[in-house]
Amino acid sequence: MLASFLTLVASGIGFATRTAAGGPWEREFDIGGGQFGVILGAGFLGFGLMIFFGGILVEKFGYKPLLVLAFVLHLISAGMLFAANPLFEGWREADPSTATDKVFNLLFWSAFIFSICQGLYEAVINPLIAQIYPENKTHYLNILHAGWPAGMIIGGLFAAGFIGADAWFIELPWQWALSSFAIVVLAYGVMVLPEKLPETVGESSGNFGNVFSCFASIPFLVLIVLHALIGYMELGVDSWMTKLMENFLPNSVLILVYTSFLMFILRFFAGPIVHKVNPIGLLLGSSVIACLGLIWLGSPIQSVAMIFVAATFYSFGKAFLWPTMLGVAGERYPQSGSVAMGALGAAGMLCVGQIAGPRIGAQQGYAMSENLQQTAPETFERYAEPDPISSWGYEYRPLDPARLNAANRTELVNGTPKNVDAVREADLIPADVKPILIANAEKDFKNVQDSYLAGGRRALTLTSYVPGMMAIGFLGLLIYYRSIGGYKVIKLDGHEEEHDAAGDDEELMGQTGPVEY
């Protein structure tokens, strides 16, 4: 249990520090918001693929081989981060026009390998913990998944203290911060490598084909779609939270740390409550709260205190969604072992990597450009790229990443920039453009920062539609279970444990024992 917990701590640290790397990457490599969103997406793409296929591999080969593979790949991912700066210098000397694209590819593949490790961990630890604690699956899965926000707290505090120009203490080289997860990886490796792990459901049953029976259930297919939406809402927003809250908080990583702390408390200590309530009703209520929380966060709040109040409300909505869904998979489809849980996790992570991260980035970029063009057209012309782009149905002229970063990095006092050093020191802003930006900095910097904030708020508001759709789906499932007698826990021996009534024939396909109604 502790080793499994640490795998999620390591994943959370890597996730939190990567979300804070946008500023340093913009400054050092000229990586813009769109590319940053793609890198964040890569941090989920491999996860989504591997958690599903990893579930099949777990049932075929067992838990331990996959944990060992993840251990090795995680360390390789950390090593790639240290190679980025020296390689970029060499690429820039050889051909400056391609250097940014090459370092982007390196960072993309580092994040992709990291996500492969996350997928392998999830494919193992969810069914492993459900198997170790068969009487309290949802309870212990919530405790297990407290490791994710615990890692984000550690990584977020480390990022706030040492990453970026606004670091509390000192700005360390970003690669040291982003590879800090390797310390936890080594600790978990020392713990788990000598352990003897139990057989999987597929190994012990002797019927490997039986693990795929969950896909014959229509309610399970509905759960897959809903879990994809959970991934979009929870991890998609977490990926962009620090970027969306820049220019409004003293250090935007604080909002991620705070929401992660609330998730940790709720998952770790409120597990017994989750175990005693109808999980579908809990998922429905959580979706409604999350929807309202995102609408609140996207509103024109002017008080930092109110931002944290809104974030508190939102955290109560998202805290139980992911682990409770895994608990439902374990309770309703125990014969499918890691395959059922892996299918849900894959849907969530693929949605984040391929849709949520890039789409939220496009929404923020579009809303920011539109706002600046409408409120300060002269500033827009000085900061916008000459050519429009098309992304996720949005066609707009994005702001130049180097100029945007210079304006965002500058502290304003009563709306006036303290200095223009960020423009003077920006290597990626052309020399002939710098005098124009400096001459207009007094009005431009505030205009840019205001539009950046407006873009972030708009992206959060649009994302609120996702938990709204989740609520409709969970309401449909709740009505369905009520119509057939209610939600019930199913066990491998064919015994059913009541939550509030009996189950249905369709979902019991592949069970190993008789079912009594």
Side-chain angles (χ1 to χ4, degrees):
M1 177 70 182
L2 180 57
S4 298
F5 184 85
L6 288 179
T7 64
L8 290 179
V9 172
S11 297
I13 291 174
F15 176 83
T17 52
R18 192 185 309 120
T19 60
W25 287 351
E26 285 177 354
R27 191 167 66 246
E28 296 183 26
F29 305 135
D30 197 23
I31 288 178
Q35 289 179 310
F36 181 67
V38 173
I39 293 173
L40 292 179
F44 297 104
L45 174 59
F47 195 160
L49 293 172
M50 189 50 65
I51 194 174
F52 177 69
F53 291 107
I56 299 174
L57 294 174
V58 164
E59 295 298 338
K60 187 68 177 177
F61 300 107
Y63 296 122
K64 196 165 186 176
L66 271 68
L67 287 176
V68 174
L69 177 61
F71 175 79
V72 174
L73 290 177
H74 234 157
L75 297 180
I76 292 174
S77 173
M80 294 173 70
L81 299 175
F82 285 96
N85 281 93
L87 287 174
F88 179 74
E89 292 301 322
W91 289 328
R92 187 162 61 176
E93 290 179 7
D95 186 358
S97 64
T98 63
T100 294
D101 289 338
K102 288 181 178 178
V103 78
F104 160 76
N105 287 330
L106 178 67
L107 295 172
F108 175 93
W109 287 110
S110 174
F112 182 79
I113 292 174
F114 183 94
S115 71
I116 289 286
C117 301
Q118 288 180 287
L120 289 171
Y121 291 145
E122 286 271 344
V124 171
I125 63 176
N126 291 323
L128 176 61
I129 297 306
Q131 187 174 343
I132 293 174
Y133 301 101
E135 301 298 326
N136 295 286
K137 294 178 182 179
T138 303
H139 169 44
Y140 280 101
L141 282 168
N142 269 278
I143 292 178
L144 171 66
H145 280 265
W148 172 261
M152 289 203 292
I153 293 168
I154 297 169
L157 289 174
F158 195 81
F162 302 106
I163 298 180
D166 296 326
W168 292 342
F169 307 116
I170 185 173
E171 183 178 6
L172 295 178
W174 60 266
Q175 55 267 43
W176 285 96
L178 266 65
S179 62
S180 58
F181 68 84
I183 299 173
V184 182
V185 170
L186 291 171
Y188 119 77
V190 169
M191 293 179 60
V192 79
L193 292 179
E195 284 290 324
K196 178 176 175 59
L197 302 182
E199 289 186 331
T200 67
V201 173
E203 289 177 314
S204 59
S205 70
N207 184 359
F208 181 68
N210 198 42
V211 300
F212 297 98
S213 61
C214 58
F215 295 104
S217 169
I218 293 177
F220 182 75
L221 301 180
V222 174
L223 288 174
I224 289 178
V225 175
L226 291 174
H227 204 73
L229 297 178
I230 289 174
Y232 187 110
M233 186 273 299
E234 180 180 334
L235 298 176
V237 171
D238 284 348
S239 299
W240 278 94
M241 184 68 79
T242 56
K243 292 285 286 180
L244 298 177
M245 287 296 173
E246 282 181 1
N247 302 334
F248 202 71
L249 295 174
N251 192 315
S252 59
V253 177
L254 286 175
I255 195 71
L256 184 61
V257 172
Y258 177 69
T259 56
S260 299
F261 175 76
L262 290 177
M263 286 180 64
F264 173 79
I265 295 295
L266 290 169
R267 287 180 177 179
F268 198 89
F269 295 105
I273 299 174
V274 175
H275 181 62
K276 294 181 183 299
V277 301
N278 185 312
I280 305 300
L282 175 65
L283 291 166
L284 170 59
S286 296
S287 299
V288 173
I289 294 172
C291 177
L292 297 175
L294 284 175
I295 292 174
W296 195 354
L297 282 170
S299 66
I301 305 172
Q302 297 300 321
S303 165
V304 172
M306 289 306 296
I307 286 181
F308 280 90
V309 173
T312 300
F313 191 79
Y314 167 64
S315 296
F316 273 88
K318 75 171 183 174
F320 301 122
L321 288 168
W322 191 282
T324 301
M325 284 286 281
L326 295 177
V328 169
E331 289 177 347
R332 295 297 299 177
Y333 307 97
Q335 82 284 357
S336 294
S338 59
V339 171
M341 293 184 178
L344 294 186
M349 288 300 172
L350 287 173
C351 186
V352 175
Q354 297 305 294
I355 301 176
R359 182 172 175 78
I360 292 174
Q363 290 170 336
Q364 193 265 352
Y366 171 78
M368 175 177 59
S369 292
E370 288 293 298
N371 181 273
L372 187 60
Q373 190 171 20
Q374 293 172 8
T375 59
E378 294 181 357
T379 300
F380 176 79
E381 292 301 327
R382 284 189 284 270
Y383 279 78
E385 297 272 16
D387 299 319
I389 63 170
S390 181
S391 178
W392 290 96
Y394 297 96
E395 187 168 346
Y396 63 102
R397 287 174 58 193
L399 302 190
D400 178 85
R403 303 178 198 186
L404 173 62
N405 184 53
N408 272 339
R409 286 175 53 203
T410 302
E411 181 181 352
L412 303 182
V413 179
N414 296 323
T416 303
K418 290 181 65 174
N419 55 59
V420 291
D421 293 344
V423 175
R424 291 195 183 99
E425 297 169 1
D427 295 334
L428 299 174
I429 297 178
D432 60 330
V433 174
K434 289 183 179 181
I436 300 173
L437 299 183
I438 291 172
N440 294 278
E442 186 168 341
K443 60 179 179 180
D444 284 353
F445 280 19
K446 186 177 187 308
N447 292 334
V448 171
Q449 291 191 14
D450 287 347
S451 294
Y452 191 94
L453 177 60
R457 285 171 166 167
R458 180 59 180 164
L460 289 173
T461 300
L462 291 173
T463 306
S464 69
Y465 298 156
V466 174
M469 291 187 287
M470 288 159 43
I472 295 173
F474 287 124
L475 178 60
L477 282 178
L478 189 64
I479 294 172
Y480 165 74
Y481 281 117
R482 291 289 183 185
S483 71
I484 54 110
Y487 180 94
K488 179 166 286 193
V489 177
I490 300 171
K491 297 187 177 181
L492 283 173
D493 60 2
H495 174 68
E496 291 185 334
E497 178 183 308
E498 287 194 12
H499 261 270
D500 54 340
D504 61 302
D505 291 314
E506 176 191 28
E507 291 189 77
L508 301 179
M509 294 181 65
Q511 295 301 328
T512 56
V515 178
E516 296 181 0
Y517 288 86

